[in-house]
Amino acid sequence: MFADIVVDIAAGELDKVFQYRVPEALESEISAGMRVIIPFGRGNKRTEGYVIGLTAVPSYPEEKIKDIEQIINDGITAEQQLITLAANIKTVYGSTMAAALKTVIPVKKQVRAVERKTYHLNIPKEEAEELLEKLKKDRRRTSGAVLLQALLCQESLSRTAVIQNLGVSPSVLKNLLDRHVIAEETCRVYRKPVRIQNEETAKKMLNAGQQAAVDGILAAPGEVHLLHGITGSGKTEVYMALVEQTLAKGQQVIVLIPEISLTLQTVSRFYQLFGDRVSVMNSRLSAGERYDQYMRAKEGDVDIIVGPRSALFMPFERLGMIIIDEEHDGAYKSETTPKYHAREVAIWRSKLCGATVVLGSATPSVAVYHKALTGVYHLHRLTVRAAADSVLPKVHVIDLREEFKLKNKKIFSEQLTEMIHERLAKKEQVMLFLNRRGYAGFVSCRNCGYVVKCRHCDVSLTAHYDGRMKCHYCGYEQPAVKVCPVCGSKYIAAFGTGTQKVETMVSQNFPGAKVLRLDRDTTTKKDSIDEILSDFKNGDADILVGTQMIVKGHDFPKVTLVGVLAADLSMFSGDYLAAERTFQLLVQAAGRAGRGSLPGDVVIQTYQPDNYSIVCAAHQDYEAFYRQEIAYREMMHYPPFYHMLAVLGESSRMPELDQAMAAVGKMAEVLLPESEVVGPASAFVSRAKDAYRKVIYIKSRTMRPLIQLIAGIDQAVKNDRIFNKVYIQFDMDPVSMY
Ligand code: ADP
Ligand code: ZN
Ligand code: ZN
């Protein structure tokens, strides 16, 4: 027997399959997906590799084939389906096979098992009762009697129970063991990262809309479904009903969430219904916890896994459903090579095993909604809030240009200030949201709202530290402007306020209010996100200030006011998804208000009250937003009408980089005569870690030619000296621009 093996070395030129002989002794044991030790290269260095296939006939002269040395037996393997998935990821997203395999294996190394010792009787019951009577008469041996008595009532006892609870000394225990009166057993216990008090909440009766969605999804198993439900419409309840039905069929479920910070909230709700059958998988777990969850999934000890995108690769054998909550979230796209999109890969995985895919969102991504409308996916809608008395909040849009004219230079408008005071007086809670992620230093006029844009592209220029303004789409640049070209005001500058500054301003403007802040800086510690969120939920603070981390999916019934400080910040991130992202963030932020029985208000502060993503968000009108956005996408040849491939080149040497990127551009034009090629241009971060960065975008109606282009460039990178000093990366259908 022969094995095809991918060598576990990151270097690109080794991205090749090597054949090895399987020694007879290993034949019965080996299977695809296992990791093995092989002699590799001239020096026969012991190297780790993945078996990706087995065959009876060698494809090389037999005498040239070396033997596999040993199998690594630690339980970490990739099943055939996951190998297929890795191969697809490699082809579509452009990476080495080894990197793709590492992606689909969510644990890296074996971690020693936690063991627990238990004790049980080793003699017949009657004999034990006789012995007990004897021991009872001997006053020096009462503790042995206590243990026997306990083991006569209870089949087995843990070591802690024996020593701590019963107070039996280790020497008495040893004595009874040595006399074979009792016996010891060692068993493996899994680390269980879910520690939740089971608060009893009554299971909810689904409303008509929820029931229709559940029925509709179950009626088309193995297909892709979009659950489009407004914020607070009870999507989680729908997921739970679906999970219940899937488990009843003996199948397993993966639930993806966009942010680790949502883990506790999501898992608690599932835990109430499914108890220990639920577990989590994410990077905050210890290596031991991760390994154990992987083994539990493999051995069928859990049926539901909740986690961010990497949880997609849990080794469930009977996977029946993949649920992707907040489907539109950019966090589902990997930032490192292979830059796969968990939603797309989930759909591939479902096709391999027949699982149903459920995508849930209040603000579906435009590309997904397009597929739902054109019948590629099924569409189910939830149009009302589920909780009794809960209605969508009232939205107020504040024009910051007017505030500025009224000489209000604070970051809180008059109306927002007034409403915050009102809430504080009524002891209700407030969330203040700063859309900082989109902050890329776009330059705007505080008097008229004018935004400096590129001459050649419909994107804003961004201010750089060197004082110039650049288009990171086409490479155009110009000196910074000092006065507004429209109104002549000199208050034109890069916009930027951090959450920390907001926190300080809240304390100054609302003395006495208790403030909590949630952003990347405050949540570096292991449990701090959960702490901050639960403190706020328990009413330990009046105001929560934060970035988009606070708008995603959280359910705080006492929040009756949400303030969005500068809604425009995400609009000028300079890419085609900017409007979609702004709309989504605003609707999600607004969705945090008035989720309990108290009605809610939302204040959106903006320099562009007429922009369609803001107008539509204010009306919570997804359809209207979609109609405008899809027309723009079609006109501009953006996804979902075109696929887009970004090729990013990095090098410490500019001339080599220029040459290589020019060659990439040439190849694109030759191989894809129908396509549109933009660039090469300097990336937004034009130099990182001493390397220059350039990017080319190629748009094509279908994906196939782009995949061929990736393969072609890969080939050239291996063979052409032009690429010697250049590191090339691919990003298929990027969700942010370079
Ligand atoms: P979404 O995820 O769609 O924003 P959630 O699933 O968080 O909404 O539900 C919003 C609120 O509505 C929650 O407090 C939930 O307990 C409540 N809820 C959901 N379904 C029902 C129902 N059928 N009856 C009563 N309350 C419900
Ligand atoms: Zn102006
Ligand atoms: Zn430009």
Side-chain angles (χ1 to χ4, degrees), residues 453-461 470-477:
K453 285 189 174 173
C454 174
R455 225 171 247 242
H456 309 287
C457 315
D458 190 26
V459 299
S460 54
L461 293 180
K470 298 179 187 176
C471 169
H472 53 96
Y473 203 76
C474 73
Y476 168 80
E477 58 179 89

Side-chain angles (χ1 to χ4, degrees), residues 204-207 210 230-237 269 386-387 555 595:
K204 301 205 169 52
M205 276 282 292
L206 296 186
N207 61 35
Q210 289 170 318
I230 61 166
T231 55
S233 58
K235 292 184 285 296
T236 315
E237 228 64 40
R269 287 176 71 178
D555 197 18
R595 290 175 73 89

Side-chain angles (χ1 to χ4, degrees), residues 75 304 312 473 566 708:
I304 309 159
L312 174 59
Y473 203 76
Q708 284 162 355

